[in-house]
Amino acid sequence: GAVVSQHPSWVICKSGTSVKIECRSLDFQATTMFWYRQFPKQSLMLMATSNEGSKATYEQGVEKDKFLINHASLTLSTLTVTSAHPEDSSFYICSAVGGHFSWSPLHFGNGTRLTVT
Amino acid sequence: AQKITQTQPGMFVQEKEAVTLDCTYDTSDPSYGLFWYKQPSSGEMIFLIYQGSYDQQNATEGRYSLNFQKARKSANLVISASQLGDSAMYFCAMRELTGTASKLTFGTGTRLQVTL
């Protein structure tokens, strides 16, 4: 089945630094990747949608200059949290879908738990 | 308006019993897909079952079945013969054909606790 790998699984950083999270599709070409954020005891909220080779589409209220998304290849998308602050501490999880639109389920990475001190 | 509504923040069920997790949705799109995911405490999202809006039969996957009532816009998940390992958060989600890139919209989730 489709496998999505996300790295790192957890990271602690100091306030003001930047953190990069990678999302890779291991056995399929991901034309579209989605980045979600989940605060404790809450649901997954979509942050942005990235298509290979084009700019990401951000959801309303998500700062595109703070959360930089790069989808440079069909197997890799990265999310960079720039100048991180404690309020950015959250669980970030990516998902990917390949090919043309279909009803196949999105496959998720295992998530990255970010703690900003 | 909420696109996906899960009204049960928490549910308890005894081992080996069946449990139903509620989900209602709101869309004007005739073509859509409904999904259920399980999220254990470790955080990963595990796909459980899918129902398409045009599917005539209710979806089943092992111990999971989806009670799809299109007119009521509900897509309840039924877990039969509950096991201790079923304790987790369960999210109902919907993808619509229109809009950008068929994104997945999640409900607020239901925390299921299976007891002995």
Side-chain angles (χ1 to χ4, degrees):
Chain A
V3 177
V4 176
S5 173
Q6 189 171 338
H7 178 81
S9 55
W10 60 270
V11 58
I12 301 172
C13 71
K14 290 187 175 180
S15 189
T17 60
S18 295
V19 174
K20 180 184 282 188
I21 302 169
E22 291 187 350
C23 181
R24 293 181 184 273
S25 57
L26 298 186
D27 55 356
F28 68 102
Q29 293 187 323
T31 50
T32 304
M33 286 187 173
F34 303 89
W35 287 95
Y36 290 84
R37 180 169 54 186
Q38 186 181 30
F39 291 108
K41 300 188 187 305
Q42 294 188 24
S43 186
L44 280 73
M45 299 301 296
L46 181 66
M47 298 175 67
T49 303
S50 74
N51 293 297
E52 184 265 337
S54 62
K55 288 185 178 180
T57 302
Y58 289 81
E59 295 297 301
Q60 193 173 5
V62 178
E63 301 173 60
K64 61 181 180 181
D65 294 330
K66 181 169 185 61
F67 299 100
L68 301 179
I69 291 171
N70 187 306
H71 193 160
S73 76
L74 283 170
T75 59
L76 174 65
S77 177
T78 60
L79 167 67
T80 301
V81 183
T82 62
S83 186
H85 288 101
E87 57 265 31
D88 299 324
S89 298
S90 187
F91 187 66
Y92 294 86
I93 191 165
C94 69
S95 67
V97 63
H100 296 290
F101 178 83
S102 71
W103 293 122
S104 58
L106 297 186
H107 294 278
F108 285 82
N110 285 347
T112 297
R113 197 163 301 280
L114 170 64
T115 302
V116 185
T117 61
Chain B
Q2 291 287 335
K3 285 205 175 252
I4 296 284
T5 302
Q6 294 180 255
T7 57
Q8 307 154 312
M11 290 282 286
F12 286 90
V13 63
Q14 270 196 321
E15 197 180 19
K16 300 178 186 175
E17 297 292 310
V19 63
T20 298
L21 306 184
D22 295 341
C23 173
T24 57
Y25 60 92
D26 182 30
T27 181
S28 56
D29 197 329
S31 183
Y32 51 89
L34 297 159
F35 302 81
W36 277 91
Y37 285 84
K38 172 185 178 181
Q39 187 180 41
S41 56
S42 51
E44 71 265 34
M45 295 292 285
I46 303 168
F47 165 71
L48 297 178
I49 197 167
Y50 154 77
Q51 180 84 45
S53 59
Y54 293 119
D55 292 345
Q56 297 295 314
Q57 307 242 345
N58 285 345
T60 60
E61 286 286 347
R63 293 187 299 111
Y64 305 108
S65 61
L66 204 152
N67 184 359
F68 181 46
Q69 297 190 42
K70 195 170 182 177
R72 295 185 179 183
K73 292 188 175 178
S74 74
N76 299 339
L77 176 70
V78 180
I79 305 175
S80 62
S82 297
Q83 302 171 357
L84 293 177
D86 293 335
S87 296
M89 280 292 288
Y90 288 81
F91 290 98
C92 180
M94 177 172 67
R95 287 173 77 187
E96 297 166 281
L97 181 60
T98 56
T100 57
S102 65
K103 61 187 180 185
L104 203 58
T105 303
F106 287 88
T108 51
T110 296
R111 182 168 297 282
L112 177 65
Q113 186 69 46
V114 181
T115 61
L116 291 170

